[in-house]
Each structure stands twice: as structure tokens, then as C-alpha cells.
Amino acid sequence: MALTGATGFVGRHLSARLAAQGVACRVPCRHPHRHRDLKLLPGCEPLEADIFDPRALGSALEGCQAAINLVGILNPSGSAGFRRLHIELVDTLVDACRAAGV
């Protein structure tokens, strides 16, 4: 299972729930070293990846059977605008899933 947005509020709870049920999760994120708590979850694998880069996202999806996207913002600022996260990222993730057979 690939889980984008696992470092956020909902993602932390979902990754803990999945780990408790024995579901292995790969968590692509910008700064995995900041999320040591995820490494403590059995089967949780935080890895450094730019989720906006189709190739990096494709690599993160290799071997996964499913992907869950929990990336979201309420108050956009700077380059991480609402459209980029809620539309363009979803398109990139869907394309990467198709390419990886997820």
C-alpha cells in the first residue's frame, strides 16, 4: 500500500490503523527523517520522494497493490496551491498508479 499524505493528521491515524491490521505501507514524503514516528509502525516504510515528480512517484508505487492519497490543504500559500495539490497531484498519482499496475 502506498500512502501519500501519511505525515498529516488523518494520514498518521490511518497509517497507525493499517499497521495494527498488518498492512504494510510505503510513505513517500519530502523529509522522512522528520517522521521517525512512522518508522516505529510495523511495516511502515517512509521514503524520500517528490510526489509531484511522476518518476519518483512511480518508483514509490512499485510493488504496491493500492494507493491512498490524503494530501490536502485548507489554506493554500506559495507554490503549493490548491489546484496543484487537489487536481494536478491527483492526476499525476492516477497516471503513476496505472503505469505501475496499481
Side-chain angles (χ1 to χ4, degrees):
M1 166 87 60
L3 188 56
T4 59
T7 61
F9 179 78
V10 174
R12 287 181 187 281
H13 289 280
L14 181 58
S15 58
R17 177 63 86 62
L18 291 170
Q21 294 178 358
V23 178
C25 290
R26 188 171 300 147
V27 179
C29 56
R30 289 176 292 190
H31 308 289
H33 61 279
R34 293 184 186 172
H35 307 287
R36 294 186 190 120
D37 55 320
L38 291 174
K39 290 182 183 180
L40 298 176
L41 297 173
C44 191
E45 178 191 359
L47 61 105
E48 186 171 350
D50 177 359
I51 61 173
F52 296 100
D53 177 352
R55 288 181 19 195
L57 193 53
S59 293
L61 291 168
E62 286 180 14
C64 293
Q65 295 179 347
I68 297 174
N69 178 37
L70 297 170
V71 174
I73 55 171
L74 297 175
N75 301 306
S77 64
S79 64
F82 186 89
R83 178 173 178 73
R84 183 172 188 228
L85 290 175
H86 291 276
I87 298 171
E88 295 170 15
L89 175 59
V90 172
D91 290 340
T92 301
L93 180 59
V94 168
D95 290 344
C97 283
R98 285 184 179 137
V102 176

